[in-house]
Amino acid sequence: MARPRFASTDFLAAARALARQHGPAAVTVGSVIGHMGAPAGSFYYRYASRDLLLGELWLEIVLAFQKGFLAAIEAGDGLAAALHTPAWARENLEDARLLLLHRRRDFIHGDWPEALRNGVVRQEETMKTAVTRFAQATLGDAAPDNLNRARFALVEVPLGAVRMYLERREPPPPLADELIRAAYNAVIAP
Amino acid sequence: MARPRFASTDFLAAARALARQHGPAAVTVGSVIGHMGAPAGSFYYRYASRDLLLGELWLEIVLAFQKGFLAAIEAGDGLAAALHTPAWARENLEDARLLLLHRRRDFIHGDWPEALRNGVVRQEETMKTAVTRFAQATLGDAAPDNLNRARFALVEVPLGAVRMYLERREPPPPLADELIRAAYNAVIAP
DNA sequence: TTTATTCTAGAATGCATATTCTAAATCCTG
DNA sequence: CAGGATTTAGAATATGCATTCTAGAATAAA
């Protein structure tokens, strides 16, 4: 084989760097290979498409985020799950900006590549299951209103408390936690 | 003059319809003129660029939304301002989806057309001023933490309570108001 | 050393879009 | 009606991108 100069992970790393700096839309095949001085052929030797690259990037980040969230839910601690967002954002500011300031469809517009579809579906369902479990355990049952209440407390409130800081590239301050805690307690009867 | 078949407002209406159905990215010059059977020349006779069209659309919607919000703030009623989001979303479901499910940069990527720049800047500052006024009146002063607290209660919480419904094209139910009220009261000390 | 395999190289292709250009049609005014 | 202004019309141009293609270079295995 010809001397391998470019590994898959190199392309992924370049994509990540570009996405962090200029957003997912700026991750074009051209910008990626330009960023690392690789020819187009080398890219397509590793990745079947641009979508595959961006999809992998998103999935990797979302799964990393999810881990701590799920752990808290499984421990039955909803407040900890809600507070996981600012905590994770502090430790992973750049990835948090990527994940929380953009939508999934900013990474992949339209259908996901076959190779990733399973992973994405599993990710979605894992999240949905966690929220459902929380609703049942803490709110009594998984009636629609309870699911929405749970989702609000666990997902939307933390996101809202953190987004304004991420936009300024600042780690969420203690106030973010305080706001989340207050809203959580107000919405999830103790 | 040749018989005017296409008014500016026709293009704006077509853009709105397309954006509502498929998102701002689907508003291309081609899709707009295709949607109304107009030639490209007629479009460019009315609009200097696609950005101008999309920018006008966004600005029109955001200003419509803002009106009620500002009225509540000026009346000194923060809770009413927070509840304006679900109320407006109920009355303007499709525009609310457009405004709240997408970001400004999904309409205009990069620099805004000169013709709209003033309007956008004014819009931003009007909003910032309103939040500041609220912070001073209700939280004592406009220290950074107070501004962020105000923004959370007035903007982020309502958005979070409403987004999940908008995504499903459903008007926000009473629960949305209840969640907003609870979070608002918890965060804005009475 | 030969040969098959794995990659690098980067030019060529194709497609979706925005925008421009030129011509002609329609209407208003004198 | 003549002449100028306004609009329609839509083909032509330009650009940015993803992707494909064909050649050739570097390596491992035989």
Side-chain angles (χ1 to χ4, degrees), chain B residues 1-6 42 46:
Chain B
M1 57 176 158
R3 174 182 9 222
R5 294 180 52 206
F6 310 106
S42 293
R46 306 288 179 177

Side-chain angles (χ1 to χ4, degrees), chain A residues 15 37 85 111 187:
Chain A
T85 296
D111 289 336
V187 155

Side-chain angles (χ1 to χ4, degrees), chain A residues 65-129:
Chain A
F65 169 82
Q66 234 188 16
K67 198 188 294 191
F69 180 86
L70 290 178
I73 290 293
E74 267 151 33
D77 191 343
L79 181 57
L83 292 172
H84 173 252
T85 296
W88 189 79
R90 274 178 208 111
E91 299 303 314
N92 306 273
L93 188 55
E94 291 301 324
D95 280 351
R97 282 172 49 81
L98 222 36
L99 184 65
L100 305 179
L101 256 29
H102 302 275
R103 299 152 305 182
R104 198 177 77 185
R105 64 174 170 281
D106 293 326
F107 287 76
I108 299 282
H109 197 68
D111 289 336
W112 278 64
E114 185 56 36
L116 298 177
R117 216 164 294 168
N118 273 331
V120 175
V121 170
R122 204 172 317 131
Q123 188 276 327
E124 271 176 339
E125 303 204 321
T126 301
M127 210 63 185
K128 205 167 292 184
T129 303

Side-chain angles (χ1 to χ4, degrees), chain B residues 78-151:
Chain B
L79 181 57
L83 291 172
H84 173 253
T85 295
W88 189 79
R90 273 179 210 112
E91 299 303 315
N92 306 273
L93 188 55
E94 290 301 323
D95 279 353
R97 282 172 50 80
L98 221 37
L99 184 64
L100 304 178
L101 256 29
H102 302 275
R103 300 152 305 183
R104 198 176 77 186
R105 63 173 169 283
D106 294 325
F107 286 75
I108 299 282
H109 196 70
D111 290 337
W112 278 64
E114 185 57 34
L116 298 176
R117 217 165 292 167
N118 273 332
V120 175
V121 170
R122 205 172 316 132
Q123 188 276 327
E124 269 177 340
E125 304 205 321
T126 301
M127 210 62 185
K128 205 169 291 182
T129 303
V131 173
T132 303
R133 174 165 321 172
F134 172 81
Q136 287 173 327
T138 309
L139 303 173
D141 65 76
D145 268 6
N146 281 347
L147 286 179
N148 286 322
R149 180 182 293 269
R151 198 186 141 128

Side-chain angles (χ1 to χ4, degrees), chain A residues 1-2 5-6 41-42 45:
Chain A
M1 58 175 156
R5 294 180 53 204
F6 309 105
S42 294
Y45 186 75

